Amino acid sequence: TGHLDVYVPIKEMWGAMFRYDYFNAKEAGMPTNQQYTIGACLKSKFETSSLYIYASRNVLPAPLNDTHQVLLVWRISPFAQKYN
């Protein structure tokens, strides 16, 4: 059980991300689950507003079907981040 996160800033306000999740649920009598997620984000200059889009694929063992998911997140914060 664990995960790996990678975030790559592309430009001043753009970034790309990747996440790999692995969950071994054999002790609970459930199948092992792997999930791959890719995403992109667009942030305002001081990161008070951020828009994220994620696409995920849940890989399950046969005979279960893999599932796919798309998620759109808009995060608004009153706290400005330091601008470099």
Side-chain angles (χ1 to χ4, degrees):
T1 301
H3 72 271
L4 171 70
D5 287 320
V6 177
Y7 176 78
V8 180
I10 297 174
K11 291 198 174 195
E12 183 179 319
M13 294 186 291
W14 284 94
M17 55 200 89
F18 171 79
R19 180 177 187 132
Y20 171 75
D21 283 302
Y22 176 79
F23 180 64
N24 185 357
K26 289 183 181 179
E27 297 89 19
M30 297 175 67
T32 299
N33 182 7
Q34 297 180 62
Q35 185 178 53
Y36 300 92
T37 304
I38 59 170
C41 72
L42 173 62
K43 299 178 180 182
S44 65
K45 183 175 180 178
F46 295 105
E47 296 186 24
T48 54
S49 178
S50 301
L51 183 65
Y52 300 88
I53 186 163
Y54 302 103
S56 296
R57 180 177 181 196
N58 231 0
V59 181
L60 301 169
L64 300 172
N65 293 330
D66 294 351
T67 58
H68 307 321
Q69 188 177 40
V70 174
L71 181 64
L72 182 64
V73 178
W74 181 22
R75 192 186 98 208
I76 301 172
S77 173
F79 304 107
Q81 299 295 318
K82 183 178 178 181
Y83 181 73
N84 294 327

